[in-house]
Amino acid sequence: MTPTLRNPFLRTNPADRRWLGRDEAVGRQAGSEQAGWGGTAKRCGVLIRLARVLALFVITWSAACSIARPTDLSTLVQRDSIYLDPSTRTPHSGPVFRHFRDDPAKVQIEGTLKHGVWEGEMTVYHASGRIRYQGRLSAGAPCGAWVENQSDEVAGTVFQELQQQINSMGLYPPCPGEEGG
């Protein structure tokens, strides 16, 4: 009479002190010599690798789809100080830009709109490419530290450059979520 195992997954083989797999336990009960870890482990390994590749693909694809492409400000409709999507007439959210009218190859403004209002980092350039304004906005109002270069002239000496940098700094009330804000 062959002893039956009540739960083949919890019993160990006394000879080698390892856990019995389902195939091995079922094979022993049925008297099969072919059952063992080999086939099951290989199939599980392949399935695990396939699942990892699939998960990596899904994560990469969803991250790529969630990155919003910048919208040209000239394509949006402006009502008062709110930028609207022209097709839906709803406030636009996402990164935006605008090129100079005289030189469409150069960017004049880069920033982000949230519900049609400026929010987050914003940069405005001179036609020369030098930064005119750069800082953060919260609900359309400047906050935190800003760079404000009225002149697009580049300094001739290191001293003049430092002087321009010091004179170009602007400080506004702290942005929400920052220390003191």
Side-chain angles (χ1 to χ4, degrees):
M1 185 165 174
T2 306
T4 58
L5 300 173
R6 284 184 252 153
N7 187 344
F9 300 106
L10 298 178
R11 296 283 187 158
T12 58
N13 183 346
D16 60 2
R17 306 298 295 165
R18 64 186 171 108
W19 295 96
L20 296 177
R22 181 183 178 278
D23 291 346
E24 191 174 357
V26 171
R28 284 193 182 176
Q29 286 179 350
S32 170
E33 297 296 324
Q34 297 177 9
W37 288 90
T40 303
K42 287 179 187 175
R43 283 191 299 268
C44 287
V46 169
L47 289 175
I48 289 171
R49 277 187 243 126
L50 183 61
R52 286 179 183 162
V53 169
L54 182 61
L56 183 62
F57 173 76
V58 168
I59 290 169
T60 304
W61 182 75
S62 64
C65 290
S66 67
I67 297 172
R69 291 186 178 190
T71 302
D72 191 341
L73 276 173
S74 65
T75 64
L76 300 176
V77 176
Q78 187 176 4
R79 296 268 186 227
D80 298 321
S81 61
I82 298 176
Y83 290 89
L84 306 172
D85 185 287
S87 58
T88 62
R89 299 284 190 208
T90 58
H92 179 77
S93 292
V96 293
F97 69 93
R98 181 172 65 206
H99 292 282
F100 283 98
R101 289 182 190 163
D102 300 340
D103 190 356
K106 292 184 179 179
V107 174
Q108 181 182 16
I109 298 174
E110 294 176 313
T112 305
L113 296 173
K114 184 176 180 183
H115 306 296
V117 179
W118 293 103
E119 184 77 28
E121 292 290 326
M122 177 188 203
T123 305
V124 180
Y125 298 94
H126 285 284
S128 65
R130 186 168 189 233
I131 292 174
R132 182 172 185 171
Y133 300 110
Q134 184 176 42
R136 290 186 60 199
L137 294 156
S138 177
C143 60
W146 273 70
V147 173
E148 300 174 344
N149 292 311
Q150 298 300 323
S151 172
D152 67 345
E153 296 177 16
V154 179
T157 66
V158 174
F159 175 74
Q160 289 172 336
E161 177 67 27
L162 288 172
Q163 192 175 23
Q164 278 184 349
Q165 287 180 5
I166 290 169
N167 291 334
S168 70
M169 287 193 259
L171 193 56
Y172 292 90
C175 297
E178 289 183 354
E179 188 175 313

